């Protein structure tokens, strides 16, 4: 283990999100300016270390990126390890291309910015003998061992603003509007955006819904003189009793299932129903103020971990404190919405429907 890290690499993997560039800037500037390190940018996620595609980061190319969406490094979802590669590397002298290129590039540490899959891969690389530090990002906010990930607040703001706009059309036309937000396994985004946008129905993967319960609720609203209803659907939400063609809840579907849900609701309520799938709009554009600050702070803390030789850890937020946790506490885990979460309880007390009662 290198005592005085001189040269570090940074990669971003998995889906992009607002705040990645702010974090890259935080890591790179503190590493270069404060600690005199050299910083290498790895292009396209783990793929850029397997078949090396790298460039030197400097003060110029890490300036002016704080507010920029996406990632200047590029990203990919390419699975890092080939079949049996992980087992071979952990159980024999075999060195993966990652280890070989890490050594050839003269790196003392690799900083991996990503979500669940990235932290799992980072943990494996650490076990293979590389020095790794992780940073938590995802609009899904579903990483274990951190209260929040950067990108989440930006996505919530985008989704909440979109719901506000859809609200006015729902009002004008007296329609049921199904708004699908991202959230493959966890419903944090649907829950927060749904509450802030005044969603009448919020459907999340952690609380399986019954279509009759949702339809009854909408019909009852109608009877009480409320001619519009907003249904906020997380893409991974699932029916408690899926019908023959119901594929909701089987991970993120490639194509939205919001249309089939809308059709079921229209059939059941006889109310005109429309769909808006927000999709990648939620991952794009400039990070909100909260994410800029969080990404910068976590980025600088990642550099400090490197200086302190605390490899194999991910920077994290615990009760407003910036801290770090061993990667093994994050790898392979997903932080789901507890069905009795305070926000679910509060929403239920203002009679928001989750389709379970
Ligand atoms: O992990 C973040 C996320 O936006 C999920 O909410 C969504 O299911 C998934 O990424 C979409 O991934 P892709 O970029 O591969 O289409």
């Amino acid at each position: 283990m290198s005592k005085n890290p001189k040269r570090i690499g940074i990669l971003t993997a998995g889906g992009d999100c607002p705040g990645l560039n702010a974090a890259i800037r935080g890591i790179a500037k503190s590493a270069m300016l404060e600690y005199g390190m050299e910083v290498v940018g790895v292009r396209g996620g783990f793929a850029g270390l397997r078949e090396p595609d790298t460039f030197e980061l400097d003060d110029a190319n890490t300036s002016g990126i704080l507010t920029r969406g996406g990632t200047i490094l590029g990203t990919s979802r390419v699975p890092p390890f080939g079949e049996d590669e992980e087992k071979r590397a952990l159980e024999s002298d075999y060195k993966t291309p990652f280890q070989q290129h890490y050594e050839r590039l003269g790196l003392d540490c690799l900083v991996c910015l990503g979500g669940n899959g990235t932290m799992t891969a980072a943990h494996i690389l650490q076990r293979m003998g590389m020095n790794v530090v992780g940073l938590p990002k995802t609009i899904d906010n579903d990483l274990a061992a951190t209260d929040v990930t950067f990108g989440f607040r930006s996505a919530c703001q985008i989704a909440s603003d979109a719901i506000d706009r859809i609200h006015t059309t729902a009002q004008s036309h007296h329609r049921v509007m199904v708004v699908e937000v991202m959230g493959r396994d966890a419903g944090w985004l649907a829950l927060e955006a749904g509450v802030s946008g005044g969603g009448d129905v919020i459907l999340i993967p952690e609380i399986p819904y019954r279509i009759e319960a949702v339809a009854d609720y909408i019909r009852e609203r109608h009877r009480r003189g409320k001619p519009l209803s907003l249904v906020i659907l997380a893409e991974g939400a699932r029916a408690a009793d899926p019908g023959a063609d119901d594929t909701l809840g089987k991970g993120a579907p490639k194509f939205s299932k919001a249309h089939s849900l809308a059709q079921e609701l229209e059939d059941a309520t006889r109310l005109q129903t429309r769909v808006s799938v927000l999709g990648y709009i939620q991952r794009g554009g400039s990070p909100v103020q909260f994410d800029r600050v969080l990404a910068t702070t976590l980025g600088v803390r990642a550099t400090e971990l490197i200086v302190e030789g605390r490899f194999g850890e991910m920077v994290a937020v615990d009760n407003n404190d910036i801290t770090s946790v061993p990667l093994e506490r994050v790898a392979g885990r997903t932080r789901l919405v507890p069905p009795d979460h305070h926000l679910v309880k509060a929403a239920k007390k203002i009679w928001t429907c989750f389709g379970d009662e």
Side-chain angles (χ1 to χ4, degrees):
M1 187 183 297
S2 162
K3 282 233 169 66
N4 293 308
K6 290 275 180 286
R7 192 165 159 80
I8 64 169
I10 307 180
L11 65 76
T12 52
D16 71 343
C17 75
L20 277 169
N21 286 326
I24 293 168
R25 172 178 172 271
I27 304 161
K29 288 210 171 205
S30 57
M32 294 182 299
L33 305 177
E34 181 70 14
Y35 297 106
M37 296 183 204
E38 292 172 355
V39 185
V40 176
V42 178
R43 290 197 180 92
F46 290 104
L49 192 58
R50 174 175 278 284
E51 307 260 331
D53 185 4
T54 61
F55 65 110
E56 298 293 319
L57 292 176
D58 56 31
D59 198 24
N61 60 20
T62 53
S63 288
I65 62 169
L66 170 66
T67 61
R68 209 193 293 170
T71 158
I72 59 162
L73 301 177
T75 185
S76 68
R77 287 198 188 274
V78 179
F81 305 106
E83 216 178 314
D84 283 341
E85 196 180 16
E86 176 188 335
K87 199 164 174 277
R88 252 177 88 202
L90 290 174
E91 292 174 4
S92 71
D93 291 340
Y94 165 73
K95 277 194 180 171
T96 62
F98 300 112
Q99 294 159 281
Q100 293 170 27
H101 297 137
Y102 174 89
E103 285 170 15
R104 216 168 290 158
L105 285 162
L107 299 181
D108 296 308
C109 178
L110 179 70
V111 187
C112 299
L113 283 67
N116 289 319
T118 307
M119 292 310 137
T120 304
H123 179 49
I124 295 169
L125 292 177
Q126 173 74 29
R127 286 171 59 214
M128 288 174 181
M130 291 167 51
N131 292 328
V132 177
V133 164
L135 262 89
K137 71 89 203 139
T138 164
I139 65 163
D140 290 355
N141 201 31
D142 61 354
L143 266 178
T146 184
D147 294 346
V148 67
T149 56
F150 58 83
F152 174 61
R153 290 279 158 222
S154 303
C156 284
Q157 191 63 56
I158 296 165
S160 183
D161 289 348
I163 294 167
D164 286 351
R165 289 172 187 275
I166 290 165
H167 211 143
T168 60
T169 293
Q171 260 160 350
S172 312
H173 288 264
H174 293 179
R175 281 175 179 161
V176 176
M177 301 295 268
V178 175
V179 185
E180 185 187 288
V181 302
M182 280 184 165
R184 185 178 29 208
D185 305 306
W188 296 108
L189 179 53
L191 178 62
E192 290 252 354
V195 169
S196 62
D200 304 300
V201 179
I202 300 176
L203 303 179
I204 61 175
E206 296 87 344
I207 305 179
Y209 66 87
R210 287 184 306 107
I211 196 77
E212 311 79 52
V214 179
D216 282 352
Y217 172 87
I218 292 173
R219 273 193 298 258
E220 178 56 25
R221 273 177 60 79
H222 210 249
R223 264 194 298 275
R224 285 191 290 120
K226 302 198 169 181
L228 68 114
S229 288
L230 286 175
V231 179
I232 314 305
L233 169 72
E235 62 182 338
R238 60 198 166 93
D241 181 18
D245 74 333
D246 191 334
T247 54
L248 288 172
K250 306 211 167 78
K254 191 151 185 200
F255 300 106
S256 161
K257 292 287 176 267
H259 292 88
S260 53
L261 176 79
Q263 190 60 58
E264 285 182 276
L265 287 178
E266 190 166 275
D267 291 346
T269 62
R270 303 265 155 233
L271 297 169
Q272 210 177 53
T273 305
R274 292 286 191 272
V275 169
S276 274
V277 178
L278 302 187
Y280 295 93
I281 287 170
Q282 296 159 99
R283 289 215 319 233
S286 191
V288 294
Q289 185 268 351
F290 178 92
D291 278 336
R292 294 178 197 187
V293 173
L294 179 65
T296 302
T297 315
L298 293 184
V300 172
R301 183 68 195 125
T303 301
E304 289 170 352
L305 285 186
I306 297 169
V307 172
E308 292 162 16
R310 307 249 312 260
F311 303 116
E313 299 194 9
M314 180 189 83
V315 289
V317 180
D318 180 18
N319 266 326
N320 287 329
D321 249 8
I322 302 300
T323 167
S324 60
V325 293
L327 279 169
E328 68 198 28
R329 273 189 56 203
V330 188
R333 302 195 182 165
T334 306
R335 195 173 69 94
L336 300 177
V337 177
D340 61 350
H341 188 268
H342 67 85
L343 193 51
V344 174
K345 283 189 183 161
K348 284 189 172 179
K349 286 199 173 156
I350 54 169
W351 284 26
T352 305
C353 169
F354 285 81
D356 58 335
E357 287 166 1

